[in-house]
Amino acid sequence: MSAEDMQGVNLEQVTAPEPDGAAYGAIWSAHTERLSSGELSVAGVPLPRLAAECGTPTFVLDTADARSRARIWKDEMDKAFASLGGADVYYAGKAFLSKQFARWMVADGLHIDTASEGELRTVLAAGIPGSACGLHGNNKSRAEVELALETGVAHIVIDSLDELDFVERIAAERGVQAPVYLRLTTGVHAGGHEFIATAHEDQKFGLSISTGVAREAMERAAAAPHLRLLGLHSHIGSQIASVDGFAAAAAIILAEREWAGKQGIDLPEIDLGGGYGVRYTRADPIPPTPQMFAQELAAAVTEHVHRSGLSAPRVSIEPGRSIVAPAMLMLYSVGTVKDVAIDSGTRTYVSVDGGMSDNIRPALYEADYTAALANRFSTSEVQRSRVVGKHCESGDIVVRNVALPADIHRGDLLAVPAVGAYGYAMASNYNMLTKPAVVAAENGEITQLLRRQNVDDLLAYDLG
């Protein structure tokens, strides 16, 4: 069987120049290359050198690539909405977050969307003001709401009528007005796995438009003395590879804004969420570019303004995966290698020193990835392989089907691309494994963003 048939991606092809528009759909980061020595390198850092200095498994961020992706989103939204009241881009911190990464995003013109006290405190600890942050969540705690009010976040996204009353009470106790968005459930179902679709009715997020709850919430929020209703919010799913769903959801949200205007409720802002897809293997479609998304959303707002006679709202979006996922790879060391007989022949199981504790997406969403040998060339024929972790689960699969050299052996290095979202963010200590380090590579230099956990860290939680 050829590598073309089996392999999800061919590194040399995706790191070579691609047709216009395809670069944003590249699987490996912009500065990943195969050196003449056969070693993979990220931003001038050979991965064997990185493994020797930092150990494995390690998340490796191509800093310049992530920052370039962030700036592209900001630039394209600014251009598309230049005549429509302007636009903001909130980096979705749930994808991956550290203090330094948050600083880079803000330096490149973005704000930060947070979804917990931990995320918000991380951003604040980076020296970023609350006014550059939003707060999400379907079940916010009192501590989270109070922190948001104390630090002056740009908005709190209200997810239910119960939460509307909850935030109103806390704001009243503090004698302030809480700036809020209302998250509406549009009924537009877009994206990949059912678990990451967030706009259909039978799920935990949002205020239903179809049942009238959304309009009740608008009226109640507008009348609440300690709420400052800024606008409406929509998030239709994740890993979306088409502009159609966003356009449909935007039209629905803007129609609700038009209805509110007729009731005398001014909504100067709307947030159209995130969920912009990326490629994980060569079999995945190339997603629309930020320019295409921005122009589609701007067209919807333009039509709304002409039809309703209302002034244009200030629009915000929340990309996360599309900024950080392709900019980060995971570097593993190979351990056990064994052949297993299957109906169509043989499959080689390649075990690595991580697994579902650092990338739960294959187990949770049946997500596909690819992998490449990172420490050398191989002239061996390729073979049908499965990359698996070291956990006590048969579903502990990192890459389900990939062509790897037949001479792969213990001590080799494997690189798995496009793990920036949500690899570290969803990492666990299953089987008491420690969480990997996250390092950034740029101009041949390595910067540690998050240190590797050690067993002493785990034991420190155990009170005995």
Side-chain angles (χ1 to χ4, degrees):
M1 184 176 290
S2 70
E4 180 74 19
D5 293 332
M6 291 190 292
Q7 198 164 357
V9 62
N10 178 287
L11 181 67
E12 287 70 32
Q13 286 187 333
V14 283
T15 56
E18 294 181 280
D20 289 345
Y24 204 81
I27 296 161
W28 299 83
S29 74
H31 307 104
T32 299
E33 60 180 336
R34 179 81 69 180
L35 303 178
S36 59
S37 63
E39 299 173 330
L40 284 187
S41 172
V42 176
V45 178
L47 292 184
R49 175 194 138 196
L50 189 147
E53 294 183 18
C54 303
T56 61
T58 294
F59 290 98
V60 184
L61 174 73
D62 182 340
T63 304
D65 187 37
R67 298 188 66 176
S68 173
R69 291 170 184 276
R71 288 192 297 270
I72 288 171
W73 272 112
K74 178 60 176 164
D75 290 346
E76 293 300 339
M77 288 296 288
D78 283 347
K79 285 188 288 188
F81 286 87
S83 61
L84 289 169
D88 295 307
V89 178
Y90 281 75
Y91 169 71
K94 63 181 180 178
F96 168 76
L97 195 60
S98 75
K99 290 185 286 187
Q100 184 56 56
F101 195 83
R103 292 187 195 107
W104 284 330
M105 293 296 99
V106 172
D108 291 325
L110 278 64
H111 304 307
I112 310 291
D113 177 59
T114 66
S116 70
E117 180 181 356
E119 288 183 4
L120 180 54
R121 286 197 183 276
T122 296
V123 178
L124 296 171
I128 296 166
S131 58
C133 303
L135 178 65
H136 260 291
N138 67 296
N139 185 28
K140 300 175 193 69
S141 67
R142 171 174 282 270
E144 288 167 339
V145 175
E146 289 179 341
L147 179 62
L149 295 177
E150 288 170 8
T151 56
V153 298
H155 56 257
I156 301 170
V157 182
I158 300 292
D159 201 82
S160 64
L161 294 177
D162 178 89
E163 188 171 74
L164 189 152
D165 294 335
F166 182 59
V167 174
E168 160 70 14
R169 287 197 304 273
I170 295 173
E173 292 168 7
R174 304 178 72 85
V176 299
Q177 274 196 322
V180 300
Y181 287 168
L182 301 177
R183 178 168 176 168
L184 307 190
T185 305
T186 62
V188 176
H189 182 166
H193 197 281
E194 179 184 358
F195 293 171
I196 53 178
T198 58
H200 57 83
E201 293 290 342
D202 189 11
Q203 48 88 30
K204 70 176 187 176
F205 292 111
L207 296 146
S208 171
I209 292 174
S210 66
T211 63
V213 173
R215 292 184 177 181
E216 178 185 352
M218 283 186 262
E219 292 175 327
R220 285 172 55 174
H226 295 94
L227 299 181
R228 178 160 51 93
L229 179 56
L230 294 176
L232 306 177
H233 181 282
S234 168
H235 184 77
I236 60 174
S238 195
Q239 184 54 7
I240 302 168
S242 167
V243 299
D244 297 342
F246 287 99
I252 293 169
I253 292 294
L254 290 165
E256 292 303 298
R257 182 178 187 259
E258 183 176 355
W259 174 87
K262 293 176 181 177
Q263 316 310 310
I265 301 172
D266 181 35
L267 298 173
E269 303 176 18
I270 61 167
D271 188 308
L272 296 173
Y276 310 100
V278 302
R279 292 175 79 209
Y280 290 97
T281 74
R282 195 171 54 195
D284 295 331
I286 295 174
T289 64
Q291 180 185 46
M292 295 164 68
F293 281 117
Q295 290 178 344
E296 190 74 19
L297 297 180
V301 173
T302 299
E303 196 277 332
H304 162 72
V305 169
H306 290 162
R307 184 189 66 250
S308 69
L310 297 173
S311 60
R314 186 166 184 87
V315 173
S316 53
I317 58 169
E318 299 164 355
R321 183 198 309 261
S322 61
I323 291 172
V324 74
M328 191 182 290
L329 61 78
M330 173 56 93
L331 183 62
Y332 294 109
S333 291
V334 173
T336 300
V337 179
K338 67 177 181 180
D339 292 336
V340 175
I342 59 176
D343 290 343
S344 56
T346 300
R347 175 179 285 123
T348 299
Y349 276 72
V350 179
S351 298
V352 294
D353 53 350
M356 64 192 302
S357 57
D358 56 69
N359 189 354
I360 192 66
R361 294 188 68 255
L364 190 61
Y365 305 134
E366 300 179 337
D368 288 326
Y369 287 84
T370 190
L373 193 62
N375 57 306
R376 61 183 175 90
F377 280 127
S378 174
T379 58
S380 174
E381 288 194 3
V382 294
Q383 59 192 5
R384 184 190 329 220
S385 303
R386 176 165 291 171
V387 181
V388 296
K390 57 181 294 173
H391 294 284
C392 300
E393 300 281 343
S394 59
D396 179 24
I397 296 170
V398 178
V399 183
R400 194 168 303 278
N401 192 39
V402 63
L404 292 174
D407 65 351
I408 194 167
H409 57 266
R410 181 181 292 272
D412 276 335
L413 297 175
L414 275 185
V416 175
V419 299
Y422 292 70
Y424 190 89
M426 298 177 77
S428 74
N429 294 121
Y430 180 44
N431 287 147
M432 301 295 277
L433 264 67
T434 55
K435 291 183 183 179
V438 182
V439 302
E442 187 170 20
N443 297 324
E445 299 294 328
I446 302 169
T447 302
Q448 188 167 237
L449 298 183
L450 295 168
R451 73 163 174 83
R452 185 181 309 282
Q453 284 184 338
N454 56 50
V455 175
D456 286 342
D457 293 324
L458 303 184
L459 292 176
Y461 290 106
D462 189 338
L463 303 182

PDB file of all heavy atoms in Angstrom, residues 12 45 54 60 76 84 106 115 204 213 215-216 236 254 261 270 308 360 395 425 434:
ATOM      1  N   GLU A  12       6.134  17.040   3.069  1.00  0.00           N
ATOM      2  CA  GLU A  12       6.791  17.832   2.039  1.00  0.00           C
ATOM      3  C   GLU A  12       5.770  18.586   1.186  1.00  0.00           C
ATOM      4  O   GLU A  12       6.012  19.696   0.750  1.00  0.00           O
ATOM      5  CB  GLU A  12       7.664  16.930   1.160  1.00  0.00           C
ATOM      6  CG  GLU A  12       8.950  16.455   1.849  1.00  0.00           C
ATOM      7  CD  GLU A  12       8.682  15.466   2.957  1.00  0.00           C
ATOM      8  OE1 GLU A  12       7.707  14.695   2.859  1.00  0.00           O
ATOM      9  OE2 GLU A  12       9.447  15.454   3.934  1.00  0.00           O
ATOM     10  N   VAL A  45      14.160  25.557  14.964  1.00  0.00           N
ATOM     11  CA  VAL A  45      14.546  24.677  16.072  1.00  0.00           C
ATOM     12  C   VAL A  45      14.376  23.227  15.629  1.00  0.00           C
ATOM     13  O   VAL A  45      13.233  22.754  15.480  1.00  0.00           O
ATOM     14  CB  VAL A  45      13.692  24.945  17.326  1.00  0.00           C
ATOM     15  CG1 VAL A  45      14.090  23.983  18.451  1.00  0.00           C
ATOM     16  CG2 VAL A  45      13.820  26.388  17.777  1.00  0.00           C
ATOM     17  N   CYS A  54      14.126  19.749  26.240  1.00  0.00           N
ATOM     18  CA  CYS A  54      12.843  19.918  26.935  1.00  0.00           C
ATOM     19  C   CYS A  54      12.168  18.608  27.305  1.00  0.00           C
ATOM     20  O   CYS A  54      11.205  18.617  28.075  1.00  0.00           O
ATOM     21  CB  CYS A  54      11.886  20.741  26.073  1.00  0.00           C
ATOM     22  SG  CYS A  54      12.527  22.365  25.603  1.00  0.00           S
ATOM     23  N   VAL A  60       4.673  22.064  20.945  1.00  0.00           N
ATOM     24  CA  VAL A  60       5.611  23.009  20.347  1.00  0.00           C
ATOM     25  C   VAL A  60       4.828  24.032  19.526  1.00  0.00           C
ATOM     26  O   VAL A  60       4.195  23.694  18.525  1.00  0.00           O
ATOM     27  CB  VAL A  60       6.636  22.292  19.445  1.00  0.00           C
ATOM     28  CG1 VAL A  60       7.654  23.298  18.913  1.00  0.00           C
ATOM     29  CG2 VAL A  60       7.335  21.169  20.214  1.00  0.00           C
ATOM     30  N   GLU A  76      -8.656  41.354   8.432  1.00  0.00           N
ATOM     31  CA  GLU A  76      -9.775  41.092   7.526  1.00  0.00           C
ATOM     32  C   GLU A  76     -11.090  41.610   8.106  1.00  0.00           C
ATOM     33  O   GLU A  76     -11.932  42.148   7.367  1.00  0.00           O
ATOM     34  CB  GLU A  76      -9.885  39.602   7.223  1.00  0.00           C
ATOM     35  CG  GLU A  76      -8.718  39.045   6.418  1.00  0.00           C
ATOM     36  CD  GLU A  76      -8.547  39.716   5.058  1.00  0.00           C
ATOM     37  OE1 GLU A  76      -9.508  40.317   4.544  1.00  0.00           O
ATOM     38  OE2 GLU A  76      -7.437  39.626   4.499  1.00  0.00           O
ATOM     39  N   LEU A  84     -18.957  49.922   8.605  1.00  0.00           N
ATOM     40  CA  LEU A  84     -20.136  49.347   9.268  1.00  0.00           C
ATOM     41  C   LEU A  84     -20.046  49.406  10.789  1.00  0.00           C
ATOM     42  O   LEU A  84     -20.588  48.541  11.477  1.00  0.00           O
ATOM     43  CB  LEU A  84     -20.313  47.890   8.826  1.00  0.00           C
ATOM     44  CG  LEU A  84     -20.763  47.664   7.391  1.00  0.00           C
ATOM     45  CD1 LEU A  84     -20.625  46.203   7.015  1.00  0.00           C
ATOM     46  CD2 LEU A  84     -22.212  48.118   7.221  1.00  0.00           C
ATOM     47  N   VAL A 106      -3.201  40.123  22.477  1.00  0.00           N
ATOM     48  CA  VAL A 106      -3.597  41.521  22.694  1.00  0.00           C
ATOM     49  C   VAL A 106      -2.647  42.455  21.953  1.00  0.00           C
ATOM     50  O   VAL A 106      -3.073  43.462  21.362  1.00  0.00           O
ATOM     51  CB  VAL A 106      -3.650  41.834  24.197  1.00  0.00           C
ATOM     52  CG1 VAL A 106      -3.866  43.327  24.443  1.00  0.00           C
ATOM     53  CG2 VAL A 106      -4.775  41.026  24.856  1.00  0.00           C
ATOM     54  N   ALA A 115     -13.920  31.825  29.758  1.00  0.00           N
ATOM     55  CA  ALA A 115     -15.114  31.044  30.096  1.00  0.00           C
ATOM     56  C   ALA A 115     -15.054  30.488  31.510  1.00  0.00           C
ATOM     57  O   ALA A 115     -15.795  29.556  31.836  1.00  0.00           O
ATOM     58  CB  ALA A 115     -15.292  29.906  29.098  1.00  0.00           C
ATOM     59  N   LYS A 204     -27.447  22.547  26.164  1.00  0.00           N
ATOM     60  CA  LYS A 204     -27.424  23.363  27.386  1.00  0.00           C
ATOM     61  C   LYS A 204     -27.234  24.856  27.149  1.00  0.00           C
ATOM     62  O   LYS A 204     -27.449  25.644  28.074  1.00  0.00           O
ATOM     63  CB  LYS A 204     -26.325  22.867  28.329  1.00  0.00           C
ATOM     64  CG  LYS A 204     -24.901  23.139  27.854  1.00  0.00           C
ATOM     65  CD  LYS A 204     -23.896  22.681  28.917  1.00  0.00           C
ATOM     66  CE  LYS A 204     -22.487  23.082  28.545  1.00  0.00           C
ATOM     67  NZ  LYS A 204     -21.511  22.736  29.601  1.00  0.00           N
ATOM     68  N   VAL A 213     -38.291  32.651  24.304  1.00  0.00           N
ATOM     69  CA  VAL A 213     -37.506  32.962  25.507  1.00  0.00           C
ATOM     70  C   VAL A 213     -36.499  34.069  25.220  1.00  0.00           C
ATOM     71  O   VAL A 213     -36.241  34.930  26.079  1.00  0.00           O
ATOM     72  CB  VAL A 213     -36.788  31.697  26.022  1.00  0.00           C
ATOM     73  CG1 VAL A 213     -35.835  32.033  27.172  1.00  0.00           C
ATOM     74  CG2 VAL A 213     -37.801  30.657  26.464  1.00  0.00           C
ATOM     75  N   ARG A 215     -36.740  36.687  23.247  1.00  0.00           N
ATOM     76  CA  ARG A 215     -37.348  38.025  23.278  1.00  0.00           C
ATOM     77  C   ARG A 215     -37.773  38.416  24.695  1.00  0.00           C
ATOM     78  O   ARG A 215     -37.664  39.588  25.082  1.00  0.00           O
ATOM     79  CB  ARG A 215     -38.524  38.080  22.302  1.00  0.00           C
ATOM     80  CG  ARG A 215     -38.058  37.988  20.854  1.00  0.00           C
ATOM     81  CD  ARG A 215     -39.171  38.130  19.835  1.00  0.00           C
ATOM     82  NE  ARG A 215     -38.631  38.089  18.482  1.00  0.00           N
ATOM     83  CZ  ARG A 215     -39.357  38.214  17.383  1.00  0.00           C
ATOM     84  NH1 ARG A 215     -40.686  38.373  17.471  1.00  0.00           N
ATOM     85  NH2 ARG A 215     -38.781  38.172  16.197  1.00  0.00           N
ATOM     86  N   GLU A 216     -38.205  37.428  25.462  1.00  0.00           N
ATOM     87  CA  GLU A 216     -38.502  37.715  26.860  1.00  0.00           C
ATOM     88  C   GLU A 216     -37.242  38.185  27.577  1.00  0.00           C
ATOM     89  O   GLU A 216     -37.285  39.136  28.378  1.00  0.00           O
ATOM     90  CB  GLU A 216     -39.055  36.462  27.544  1.00  0.00           C
ATOM     91  CG  GLU A 216     -39.349  36.673  29.030  1.00  0.00           C
ATOM     92  CD  GLU A 216     -39.781  35.404  29.738  1.00  0.00           C
ATOM     93  OE1 GLU A 216     -40.008  34.382  29.073  1.00  0.00           O
ATOM     94  OE2 GLU A 216     -39.875  35.444  30.994  1.00  0.00           O
ATOM     95  N   ILE A 236     -22.632  28.825  16.906  1.00  0.00           N
ATOM     96  CA  ILE A 236     -23.395  27.737  16.298  1.00  0.00           C
ATOM     97  C   ILE A 236     -22.689  26.389  16.326  1.00  0.00           C
ATOM     98  O   ILE A 236     -23.279  25.380  15.945  1.00  0.00           O
ATOM     99  CB  ILE A 236     -23.792  28.078  14.854  1.00  0.00           C
ATOM    100  CG1 ILE A 236     -22.551  28.334  13.986  1.00  0.00           C
ATOM    101  CG2 ILE A 236     -24.725  29.275  14.839  1.00  0.00           C
ATOM    102  CD1 ILE A 236     -22.880  28.537  12.511  1.00  0.00           C
ATOM    103  N   LEU A 254     -29.577  39.103  13.498  1.00  0.00           N
ATOM    104  CA  LEU A 254     -29.865  40.479  13.066  1.00  0.00           C
ATOM    105  C   LEU A 254     -31.370  40.725  12.969  1.00  0.00           C
ATOM    106  O   LEU A 254     -31.832  41.845  13.224  1.00  0.00           O
ATOM    107  CB  LEU A 254     -29.165  40.749  11.738  1.00  0.00           C
ATOM    108  CG  LEU A 254     -27.632  40.830  11.852  1.00  0.00           C
ATOM    109  CD1 LEU A 254     -26.989  40.741  10.476  1.00  0.00           C
ATOM    110  CD2 LEU A 254     -27.198  42.102  12.572  1.00  0.00           C
ATOM    111  N   GLY A 261     -35.253  46.625  18.039  1.00  0.00           N
ATOM    112  CA  GLY A 261     -35.292  48.048  17.700  1.00  0.00           C
ATOM    113  C   GLY A 261     -36.712  48.582  17.617  1.00  0.00           C
ATOM    114  O   GLY A 261     -36.989  49.705  18.034  1.00  0.00           O
ATOM    115  N   ILE A 270     -23.220  43.157  18.386  1.00  0.00           N
ATOM    116  CA  ILE A 270     -23.539  41.735  18.244  1.00  0.00           C
ATOM    117  C   ILE A 270     -22.237  40.957  18.177  1.00  0.00           C
ATOM    118  O   ILE A 270     -21.222  41.453  17.686  1.00  0.00           O
ATOM    119  CB  ILE A 270     -24.411  41.403  17.011  1.00  0.00           C
ATOM    120  CG1 ILE A 270     -23.705  41.790  15.708  1.00  0.00           C
ATOM    121  CG2 ILE A 270     -25.768  42.050  17.101  1.00  0.00           C
ATOM    122  CD1 ILE A 270     -24.380  41.214  14.472  1.00  0.00           C
ATOM    123  N   SER A 308     -33.526  47.412   7.809  1.00  0.00           N
ATOM    124  CA  SER A 308     -34.112  47.850   9.076  1.00  0.00           C
ATOM    125  C   SER A 308     -34.081  49.352   9.293  1.00  0.00           C
ATOM    126  O   SER A 308     -34.881  49.886  10.065  1.00  0.00           O
ATOM    127  CB  SER A 308     -33.377  47.167  10.236  1.00  0.00           C
ATOM    128  OG  SER A 308     -32.046  47.678  10.345  1.00  0.00           O
ATOM    129  N   ILE A 360      -7.367  14.398  23.984  1.00  0.00           N
ATOM    130  CA  ILE A 360      -8.577  13.604  24.189  1.00  0.00           C
ATOM    131  C   ILE A 360      -9.482  13.611  22.959  1.00  0.00           C
ATOM    132  O   ILE A 360     -10.421  12.814  22.863  1.00  0.00           O
ATOM    133  CB  ILE A 360      -9.354  14.134  25.421  1.00  0.00           C
ATOM    134  CG1 ILE A 360     -10.459  13.160  25.859  1.00  0.00           C
ATOM    135  CG2 ILE A 360      -9.936  15.518  25.146  1.00  0.00           C
ATOM    136  CD1 ILE A 360      -9.965  11.856  26.374  1.00  0.00           C
ATOM    137  N   GLY A 395      -9.336   2.674  23.706  1.00  0.00           N
ATOM    138  CA  GLY A 395      -9.632   3.846  22.887  1.00  0.00           C
ATOM    139  C   GLY A 395      -8.581   4.931  22.962  1.00  0.00           C
ATOM    140  O   GLY A 395      -8.783   6.025  22.435  1.00  0.00           O
ATOM    141  N   ALA A 425      -5.416  22.381  26.597  1.00  0.00           N
ATOM    142  CA  ALA A 425      -6.575  22.913  27.320  1.00  0.00           C
ATOM    143  C   ALA A 425      -7.436  21.800  27.915  1.00  0.00           C
ATOM    144  O   ALA A 425      -8.060  21.987  28.961  1.00  0.00           O
ATOM    145  CB  ALA A 425      -7.418  23.791  26.396  1.00  0.00           C
ATOM    146  N   THR A 434       1.691  13.094  34.064  1.00  0.00           N
ATOM    147  CA  THR A 434       1.859  14.538  34.251  1.00  0.00           C
ATOM    148  C   THR A 434       1.612  15.260  32.936  1.00  0.00           C
ATOM    149  O   THR A 434       1.877  14.723  31.858  1.00  0.00           O
ATOM    150  CB  THR A 434       3.265  14.849  34.762  1.00  0.00           C
ATOM    151  OG1 THR A 434       4.233  14.275  33.870  1.00  0.00           O
ATOM    152  CG2 THR A 434       3.468  14.281  36.156  1.00  0.00           C
TER     153      THR A 434
END
